[in-house]
Amino acid sequence: MTIDTCKARLYHFCICFRCIHLYFGVAVMLLLKTENLAHVKREESDITRFPNILMNEGEAICIFGKSGSGKGLLLKLAAGLLKPEWGSSKQANVAKSYVFGENGLLNNYMVYENLIIPAMFSSFQESSEHTVMAALEKFKLLNIQNNVVGNLPEAPKRLIQYARAEVLQPKLLFIEEPLKSVRDEHHPLIKNWLASFIKEKRGACLFTSTSSECAEHISATIIELSGGDKTIKTFIAE
């Protein structure tokens, strides 16, 4: 038996163990489940098959791999942002938020407006002003709250996405490269916020990464996509 096979079996054992916990009444909510997701490269007539994902509240899963391994594709399929050609992705009916490279921000609006507008349509309307100001302070954005987002560099745009997630208070979070475009001095802020989201707020986070830095900090389960030969290696970060 190869090491990769052992790791894959360990991952599937962990999934079964979580299901047993759920069956016997432990208070755990299943937030994300993917089954048999696959993608076809039309020009190459090649099929990329992805591992199944089962994610409960209070858990984080890192899709780890080099550029071109398919981690971004799996993230978007799992998040429901792309329609799968095969397989399915099912999410619990809970609040969700996204932190992606193509930011999804309102570039013609001010930083403050990018937070208050989503807050007005969320379930936290009564305290939206207080929540927005607290998020701006937490992510070091108070001094640029009146700046137009489209005129800002990438680093603050990334922090705005995290501040938006703080305002929306999601239960399920999807992130593309958590530390991408984030300045080094803000790395502890993001890692500690993610740890709090998982451990204290009992949220669930699925994210991609080319580094194990965040995964190790929040003790995430890691699914490694090797890309070329499409083998899947899985293990639990210590």
Side-chain angles (χ1 to χ4, degrees):
M1 184 183 297
T2 65
I3 294 176
D4 289 349
T5 302
C6 290
K7 289 179 178 179
R9 289 190 177 183
L10 173 61
Y11 177 68
H12 290 298
F13 170 79
C14 291
I15 288 178
C16 293
F17 185 72
R18 292 202 297 269
C19 289
I20 292 171
H21 270 227
L22 190 63
Y23 179 81
F24 282 103
V26 178
V28 175
M29 178 185 289
L30 178 63
L31 297 181
L32 176 67
K33 180 181 181 180
T34 71
E35 290 185 296
N36 305 318
L37 288 176
H39 176 71
V40 179
K41 294 182 180 179
R42 301 295 182 187
E43 64 280 4
E44 300 176 16
S45 298
D46 193 12
I47 300 176
T48 302
R49 302 184 188 278
F50 295 112
N52 294 337
I53 295 172
L54 189 68
M55 189 164 64
N56 296 321
E57 62 179 346
E59 294 182 343
I61 295 178
C62 172
I63 306 170
F64 183 82
K66 297 179 180 179
S67 178
S69 62
K71 60 186 185 298
L73 178 59
L74 176 54
L75 178 69
K76 290 179 180 178
L77 288 170
L81 300 179
L82 290 177
K83 185 178 180 180
E85 295 170 296
W86 279 286
S88 64
S89 176
K90 298 177 182 179
Q91 304 169 14
N93 186 24
V94 295
K96 306 171 186 68
S97 193
Y98 310 86
V99 178
F100 276 47
E102 54 271 25
N103 64 66
L105 298 172
L106 303 171
N107 286 316
N108 294 324
Y109 289 76
M110 295 184 297
V111 173
Y112 174 82
E113 292 171 323
N114 268 266
L115 303 190
I116 195 65
I117 291 174
M120 291 170 61
F121 290 94
S122 74
S123 57
F124 304 99
Q125 297 179 29
E126 297 82 0
S127 58
S128 57
E129 175 70 22
H130 171 76
T131 303
V132 166
M133 295 309 295
L136 287 169
E137 182 177 8
K138 176 177 287 189
F139 289 95
K140 319 297 183 185
L141 297 168
L142 279 174
N143 62 329
I144 61 168
Q145 63 176 297
N146 295 321
N147 290 29
V148 175
V149 169
N151 297 332
L152 297 172
E154 290 304 311
K157 285 183 180 179
R158 195 66 163 180
L159 294 180
I160 295 168
Q161 291 187 75
Y162 281 110
R164 181 179 60 190
E166 172 78 4
V167 168
L168 293 176
Q169 300 184 32
K171 192 72 174 176
L172 188 54
L173 183 60
F174 299 94
I175 307 178
E176 186 178 51
E177 300 286 345
L179 299 178
K180 181 179 180 181
S181 302
V182 176
R183 293 172 182 162
D184 290 347
E185 62 265 31
H186 292 147
H187 282 198
L189 169 65
I190 299 304
K191 291 190 291 183
N192 290 335
W193 182 81
L194 284 172
S196 174
F197 174 76
I198 299 298
K199 298 172 183 177
E200 297 174 19
K201 298 183 179 179
R202 302 295 295 167
C205 180
L206 180 67
F207 64 98
T208 63
S209 184
T210 55
S211 165
S212 61
E213 183 177 353
C214 270
E216 292 174 356
H217 188 78
I218 61 177
S219 299
T221 298
I222 297 180
I223 300 176
E224 183 173 351
L225 306 183
S226 59
D229 55 8
K230 300 178 182 61
T231 56
I232 308 299
K233 293 185 287 184
T234 58
F235 60 95
I236 309 298
E238 296 180 356

